[in-house]
Amino acid sequence: MTDNMMPELTLDAAAEPAVPELTLDGAAAPAQSETEKKAAEPVKIDESMLTDAEKKAVEEFSRKIDINDTNLILNYGAAAQKSVASFSENALSSVRNKDLGEIGETLSSLVVEVKGFGKEEKKGLFGAFQKQKNKLDIMRAQYGKAEASVNRIVAELEKHQVTLMKDIAMFDQMYELNLKYYKELTMYIIAGKKRLEEVRAGELEELRKKAEETGSAEDAQKYNDMVQQCNRFEKKLHDLELTRMVSLQMGPQTRLLQNNDTLMVEKIQSSLVNTIPLWKSQMVLALGMEHGRQATAAQSAVTETTNELLKKNADMLKMGTIATAKEAERSVIDIETLQHTNEQLISTLDEVLNIQREGAEKRKVAEAELGRIEGELKQKLMELRS
């Protein structure tokens, strides 16, 4: 990593961090076997994650950290945390303001228009005769109307496609920014831990020895103050680790959102280049074949209509009879419903019981831990006063 690509660490919470140039180059991690996947090792945040140039930057930055500065501890890494928070808000806003349902409705309208071509209401035997006479003219009129509707829908789909493609490019930028924030947080954490370890091993240990040697209340207070500062700084580093985990999770989440948009773009593209041309070609074939259908005799139309009515009446009679018989044999409440209700009730009672047991156990552990902490504090205070 060159100097101009190095994330810039700062102790100024209001400063805007420089955006690093990230790269996807590098050896890919080897695929894990099934046995390795079962027992994943915890990730340790240390300098092994950094390049040589980043290690040097962390080393130089850690020397500038003054743990005695309360304001520094309060604002340590705050700029990167704010960047992650802003990033998360932007991602949420992008999802909240996007209505993919509108695209689905447009595609559904296209399907309705395509399926509706050639369908018309049947109005008895006279309608059958009249249909044969004027069907070609009707189909031509329907085609013109459907084509106008399809062209309007196509224009809407093309607008949606452009918007989605812009969003896909935006998600790429958001992903790159998130990688930058993740790297910055990692470097802040490593630099802070490095400095905290040095202070505890050096300055804090010296204050402890001095307090034991002099027995002075002032020296003991200085030691306690430094202990508290170290603890506060350690908590701050823990907060940064939580923010780093949020940034880590935002990576795959961003890709999922981007993938949803990509799938929708592909669906729209398929409709534009496949569905619509196919529909138009089929309409041309349908208009051509109608010339042959016009030679069908009126008696054939009467026979077909009569047969169709008889079939529909028979089908309706069968369906009505079967439905009536089923409803007559059906219980007021299905046994499956009672079984499901009983299972859910038992499951609920088991979960409540487990939660109460876990709560009782946690309270016992917490009570014991509070007692141990209080004992340690009293012992430590006695050591300092002795």
Side-chain angles (χ1 to χ4, degrees):
M1 181 178 290
T2 59
D3 293 339
N4 61 346
M5 296 174 65
M6 179 71 60
E8 182 180 351
L9 303 184
T10 177
L11 296 176
D12 184 3
E16 192 70 24
V19 179
E21 296 180 10
L22 304 178
T23 178
L24 296 177
D25 294 338
Q32 289 182 316
S33 65
E34 290 298 325
T35 55
E36 290 175 337
K37 289 180 181 179
K38 293 180 180 178
E41 295 184 1
V43 176
K44 183 179 181 181
I45 305 177
D46 55 26
E47 292 187 349
S48 63
M49 297 180 171
L50 307 178
T51 64
D52 292 339
E54 290 170 346
K55 291 178 182 178
K56 182 179 179 182
V58 166
E59 177 67 27
E60 294 175 354
F61 182 76
S62 66
R63 299 194 191 102
K64 302 177 183 178
I65 302 174
D66 183 7
I67 293 184
N68 291 308
D69 188 342
T70 302
N71 189 56
L72 181 146
I73 293 177
L74 179 63
N75 294 308
Y76 185 79
Q81 286 183 302
K82 290 177 182 177
S83 297
V84 173
S86 176
F87 174 86
S88 301
E89 180 61 28
N90 290 336
L92 177 61
S93 176
S94 175
V95 176
R96 184 171 55 239
N97 295 331
K98 185 177 300 179
D99 185 9
L100 293 181
E102 183 179 353
I103 301 176
E105 292 175 0
T106 306
L107 290 171
S108 298
S109 299
L110 176 61
V111 173
V112 171
E113 289 293 340
V114 172
K115 286 185 175 181
F117 180 81
K119 293 184 178 180
E120 55 185 296
E121 295 183 0
K122 297 180 180 179
K123 303 176 181 179
L125 295 180
F126 176 77
F129 285 109
Q130 193 67 22
K131 179 179 68 174
Q132 296 301 328
K133 181 179 179 181
N134 301 323
K135 188 171 182 180
L136 184 59
D137 293 336
I138 293 173
M139 288 183 67
R140 286 172 178 168
Q142 285 183 334
Y143 178 77
K145 180 180 177 181
E147 185 179 27
S149 297
V150 169
N151 289 338
R152 175 183 56 79
I153 294 172
V154 167
E156 294 179 4
L157 288 176
E158 289 175 343
K159 291 180 181 179
H160 288 311
Q161 188 178 32
V162 171
T163 301
L164 289 173
M165 292 179 71
K166 290 180 180 179
D167 288 346
I168 291 171
M170 177 199 67
F171 279 126
D172 274 332
Q173 296 176 357
M174 292 176 67
Y175 184 82
E176 295 297 325
L177 279 177
N178 186 61
L179 285 178
K180 166 190 170 290
Y181 300 147
Y182 176 76
K183 174 62 73 172
E184 285 182 356
L185 288 167
T186 300
M187 294 176 68
Y188 273 118
I189 293 168
I190 294 175
K193 287 185 175 181
K194 186 178 183 65
R195 181 57 179 162
L196 181 61
E197 183 179 352
E198 292 173 352
V199 170
R200 282 177 169 170
E203 186 177 348
L204 183 63
E205 184 64 18
E206 291 176 0
L207 288 175
R208 186 189 66 80
K209 291 180 180 179
K210 184 176 180 181
E212 290 179 350
E213 291 174 358
T214 63
S216 168
E218 182 180 356
D219 291 337
Q221 187 60 50
K222 287 182 179 180
Y223 170 70
N224 284 331
D225 289 343
M226 178 58 73
V227 169
Q228 293 301 318
Q229 288 292 93
C230 289
N231 290 339
R232 278 194 289 271
F233 189 57
E234 186 176 25
K235 291 179 181 178
K236 182 63 178 180
L237 295 179
H238 179 66
D239 288 341
L240 291 178
E241 289 178 344
L242 295 178
T243 305
R244 177 179 176 272
M245 178 55 64
V246 172
S247 178
L248 177 63
Q249 294 174 345
M250 284 302 297
Q253 290 171 352
T254 302
R255 287 305 191 206
L256 286 174
L257 294 174
Q258 187 182 45
N259 185 60
N260 291 339
D261 285 355
T262 302
L263 292 175
M264 190 57 68
V265 168
E266 292 173 350
K267 182 66 175 177
I268 293 174
Q269 186 70 13
S270 177
S271 297
L272 294 178
V273 302
N274 294 324
T275 303
I276 294 173
L278 178 62
W279 171 76
K280 289 185 177 181
S281 65
Q282 292 301 310
M283 294 307 101
V284 173
L285 292 175
L287 289 171
M289 288 187 295
E290 184 57 27
H291 290 284
R293 292 197 183 100
Q294 288 182 346
T296 304
Q299 184 61 44
S300 177
V302 172
T303 302
E304 290 177 0
T305 303
T306 303
N307 289 334
E308 186 175 350
L309 289 174
L310 291 174
K311 290 178 181 179
K312 284 188 176 180
N313 288 335
D315 292 341
M316 292 177 62
L317 177 61
K318 178 181 178 181
M319 292 173 61
T321 303
I322 293 174
T324 301
K326 288 183 177 180
E327 189 62 30
E329 294 298 328
R330 184 180 178 184
S331 300
V332 177
I333 300 177
D334 294 338
I335 189 63
E336 291 80 3
T337 301
L338 295 176
Q339 290 174 344
H340 177 75
T341 303
N342 194 55
E343 290 173 357
Q344 292 299 317
L345 178 59
I346 294 174
S347 176
T348 301
L349 294 175
D350 288 340
E351 290 183 10
V352 170
L353 181 59
N354 290 333
I355 291 172
Q356 291 175 346
R357 289 175 179 173
E358 291 176 0
E361 292 176 359
K362 289 180 179 178
R363 287 193 296 272
K364 289 181 181 180
V365 173
E367 182 178 355
E369 181 65 14
L370 290 174
R372 185 188 66 77
I373 292 173
E374 182 177 355
E376 288 183 353
L377 179 60
K378 288 181 179 180
Q379 181 181 354
K380 179 58 65 176
L381 291 176
M382 291 299 295
E383 291 176 358
L384 294 176
R385 294 174 181 174
S386 61

